[in-house]
Amino acid sequence: GQSLEQPSEVTAVEGAIVQINCTYQTSGFYGLSWYQQHDGGAPTFLSYNALDGLEETGRFSSFLSRSDSYGYLLLQELQMKDSASYFCAVKGYGQNFVFGPGTRLSVLP
Amino acid sequence: NAGVTQTPKFQVLKTGQSMTLQCAQDMNHNSMYWYRQDPGMGLRLIYYSASEGTTDKGEVPNGYNVSRLNKREFSLRLESAAPSQTSVYFCASSEGGHLNTEAFFGQGTRLTVV
């Protein structure tokens, strides 16, 4: 089976940097993805890591350590519009995406 | 491009009624998925179809059936709705294969069973 763990909530102020961690257990692993979901909306793709290391996309970066079964999403220069839920997801050998429980990020002025 | 389209957007059912949630994608994707999301929770996989002609159970398949009608369409059927099936249902699609990295989601169907 597959399971993922994330913190339930994170709070930060505008302009700050925040890191959202994700640990996973899986019987097969191709990569770790991150999705953003605003209240009432659909999840949208942010990033994907198949190999160890850091991937940077604008203000967002994502890191993966396959040996530690661990990854994180780093959000820099936080803006109010970044207030949302963030989900990590594992792509396993079953050809499906298994999602974590989500981290609710609140950005304060 | 419409992407992934789900119908209906909202639905209220009485316990015991049946209904089918429709999903269609126009990205020529091989794989399609149905998830449910309960308040404050993550997405739980109900069923998926890795390719046209195949379907497999996910984490929470009980009470649901699916049909991969063709490459574009993947429907989810509730044969006898129960209050525990009150949830937001998301359909998603992806190219498929181990190199595929991204799932595209529809806007969701908000279902209430009373």
Side-chain angles (χ1 to χ4, degrees):
Chain A
Q2 294 158 311
S3 66
L4 298 93
E5 291 187 6
Q6 306 177 233
S8 58
E9 293 183 20
V10 173
T11 301
V13 297
E14 263 188 307
I17 300 172
V18 71
Q19 178 174 311
I20 299 173
N21 299 320
C22 174
T23 57
Y24 59 88
Q25 291 184 333
T26 178
S27 55
F29 180 81
Y30 284 129
L32 186 71
S33 304
W34 289 91
Y35 287 78
Q36 179 190 61
Q37 185 181 32
H38 287 99
D39 286 347
T44 56
F45 174 81
L46 290 177
S47 67
Y48 177 80
N49 294 68
L51 303 175
D52 286 359
L54 192 68
E55 296 279 344
E56 298 182 60
T57 308
R59 295 188 296 114
F60 294 178
S61 303
S62 57
F63 172 84
L64 175 65
S65 168
R66 295 174 70 109
S67 60
D68 294 324
S69 297
Y70 163 77
Y72 65 73
L73 179 69
L74 191 73
L75 297 84
Q76 303 182 71
E77 301 173 17
L78 281 175
Q79 302 175 8
M80 297 296 290
K81 67 179 182 179
D82 297 329
S83 291
S85 292
Y86 292 84
F87 297 89
C88 57
V90 167
K91 180 76 180 293
Y93 292 163
Q95 295 302 314
N96 61 69
F97 297 88
V98 177
F99 285 79
T103 299
R104 188 171 185 88
L105 170 64
S106 298
V107 180
L108 305 177
Chain B
N1 266 354
V4 179
T5 303
Q6 290 182 235
T7 56
K9 289 185 170 54
F10 301 92
Q11 184 70 51
V12 178
L13 289 178
K14 293 182 178 179
T15 298
Q17 286 185 318
S18 63
M19 80 162 294
T20 300
L21 281 64
Q22 307 287 353
C23 175
Q25 52 93 8
D26 62 4
M27 295 173 282
N28 201 36
H29 284 168
N30 290 309
S31 300
M32 298 186 74
Y33 315 85
W34 276 106
Y35 291 90
R36 62 176 286 174
Q37 185 175 36
D38 299 309
M41 304 209 31
L43 296 134
R44 291 187 293 170
L45 184 66
I46 305 171
Y47 272 93
Y48 68 102
S49 172
S51 61
E52 186 179 358
T54 69
T55 60
D56 288 282
K57 295 179 180 180
E59 180 186 357
V60 289
N62 291 345
Y64 306 95
N65 285 300
V66 290
S67 295
R68 184 74 183 266
L69 303 170
N70 47 55
K71 191 171 186 179
R72 291 186 64 249
E73 299 173 287
F74 188 40
S75 63
L76 177 72
R77 182 160 179 84
L78 287 71
E79 290 292 351
S80 179
S84 61
Q85 294 178 305
T86 293
S87 189
V88 180
Y89 291 85
F90 287 101
C91 176
S93 71
S94 69
E95 290 181 2
H98 71 279
L99 295 178
N100 164 247
T101 64
E102 179 177 358
F104 295 80
F105 284 81
Q107 287 306 303
T109 295
R110 284 150 181 80
L111 176 66
T112 302
V113 183
V114 297

